Amino acid sequence: MQNSKFTLSVLATAMTLALAACGGGGGDDGGSKNPTTPPTTPTTPTTPQEPTSVPPATSAPAATYPGGDLRLAAFNALNDYRIKMGVGALKQDAALDIAAENHLAYLKANSTSGHEETAGKPGFTGANPYDQGVAAGASKDQWISQAADGSIGCLADFRNSVYHLQGITGNQETVGLAIRDGYCVMNFGVKTGANGSGYGLPQWGGQQMATNTFAYSPVDAESVPGTFTATAESPSPAPDLPSAGHPVMFRVPAPTASDVLTVTSFTLTGPGGISVPARILVASGAKAGSSSTTISDANVYSGVAFLLPTQPLTAGTYTATFAGARNGVAINKSWSFTAF
């Protein structure tokens, strides 16, 4: 059961920038694909091109947090979950740790929540998570996003959510944590293929799954709480549903603006094969190609779809079944988890 209010930083840049981040270029070579006369000049670039992304990491260097520290437990649990999902482990970033600690001190000193800070107030270090990170010594050449919670049980809260779940299981590469005194701050960074810098979590760059793969949550055989307090998440995915069921997420890689995950059907059956009433949330650009029963949600990423039960899940085993397509290529997947 969630009692804390938690907030997520949103993407601060337009998705049209994703086209520039994918490498692009090429063009018509103006002739045969198999020339009979060797070219007179080398065709191999003399300077290696910077990578636009990296594959999901299956491990990460051990964190430097002390044994028994809440940050160590959260770091290990988050990476374990991301590895199970196939979205890649995160590396600890000491500068993002400092920035998270600074922001936690600001939240505590001002008895507030959120990601932004106001100049002149106690503990101010930067207007937003990017500025806070740079002030703490983080690289300027990256995107920095943040998840924050008024609870030390933040990871459990984020996993039982909508926007925070997609946010903590995205393409970020690094993490910095601060967890104490009833507050939790998680900073995330994307450096590889960042194609700019600032506040937010872009969908391009960072750790990218292969185009023919997908991820989902809950993961296979996971045991999850049956109740999701939708009004505790800010923004709320369902302000009219103060007591909903545990969200189910399906995601594919979507590093360019043209990538889209459409949904034909997304169902959940519970104990005894009973169908669970639910809403299906899709990205705005996916609505046209999806089932008429889906709901367009501007806060859902283009490679993500959610099934949100409209009532708490009773204890037992549940089977989620997804049918849809990534850029027109069909995807079908069923998996099971339990609720308590």
Side-chain angles (χ1 to χ4, degrees):
M1 188 74 174
Q2 295 166 299
N3 297 310
S4 60
K5 190 77 172 180
F6 51 105
T7 58
L8 182 73
S9 61
V10 297
L11 180 63
T13 56
M15 270 307 299
T16 52
L17 289 180
L19 290 173
C22 68
D28 190 352
D29 63 5
S32 170
K33 298 298 182 183
N34 299 291
T36 57
T37 303
T40 57
T41 57
T43 58
T44 302
T46 56
T47 303
Q49 293 189 4
E50 292 292 329
T52 57
S53 65
V54 293
T58 56
S59 64
T64 61
Y65 308 119
D69 193 305
L70 291 173
R71 296 172 297 173
L72 180 62
F75 177 86
N76 289 336
L78 176 58
N79 272 344
D80 177 68
Y81 198 70
R82 287 180 57 94
I83 290 170
K84 287 179 179 177
M85 282 188 63
V87 295
L90 306 177
K91 297 178 182 178
Q92 180 188 6
D93 185 317
L96 293 184
D97 281 333
I98 295 171
E101 175 60 34
N102 290 343
H103 187 59
L104 187 152
Y106 175 90
L107 297 178
K108 183 180 178 182
N110 295 282
S111 299
T112 188
S113 62
H115 311 287
E116 298 183 352
E117 298 179 2
T118 301
K121 288 191 174 182
F124 173 83
T125 60
N128 58 55
Y130 175 79
D131 294 337
Q132 296 157 21
V134 172
S139 170
K140 295 181 179 180
D141 299 325
Q142 65 176 323
W143 294 95
I144 298 176
S145 63
Q146 185 182 92
D149 191 5
S151 166
I152 59 174
C154 50
L155 184 56
D157 287 345
F158 298 157
R159 283 168 54 174
N160 185 19
S161 70
V162 175
Y163 307 133
H164 285 71
L165 176 58
Q166 70 174 0
I168 68 169
T169 59
N171 58 309
Q172 56 262 68
E173 299 170 280
T174 58
V175 64
L177 304 173
I179 307 173
R180 63 176 176 85
D181 300 336
Y183 289 89
C184 170
V185 177
M186 294 185 174
N187 285 334
F188 300 104
V190 173
K191 295 181 180 179
T192 305
N195 192 43
S197 60
Y199 166 33
L201 179 62
Q203 293 192 63
W204 60 87
Q207 300 190 87
Q208 293 288 341
M209 295 185 291
T211 56
N212 62 343
T213 59
F214 49 78
Y216 48 84
S217 175
V219 296
D220 294 307
E222 183 179 354
S223 182
V224 302
T227 300
F228 165 51
T229 307
T231 53
E233 185 172 15
S234 180
S236 174
D240 61 319
L241 291 178
S243 185
H246 194 289
V248 181
M249 179 184 72
F250 196 89
R251 76 182 307 156
V252 298
T256 74
S258 60
D259 292 322
V260 63
L261 174 67
T262 52
V263 179
T264 303
S265 67
F266 200 176
T267 62
L268 186 66
T269 55
I274 298 175
S275 178
V276 176
R279 298 174 182 174
I280 303 171
L281 310 179
V282 298
S284 300
K287 173 61 179 175
S290 297
S291 165
S292 61
T293 60
T294 61
I295 299 172
S296 175
D297 187 326
N299 291 314
V300 173
Y301 297 166
S302 60
V304 175
F306 275 95
L307 180 146
L308 179 60
T310 56
Q311 61 191 37
L313 304 180
T314 59
T317 299
Y318 290 80
T319 299
T321 302
F322 177 88
R326 178 189 183 272
N327 297 344
V329 178
I331 301 172
N332 293 277
K333 176 65 180 177
S334 290
W335 73 99
S336 297
F337 61 92
T338 61
F340 58 86

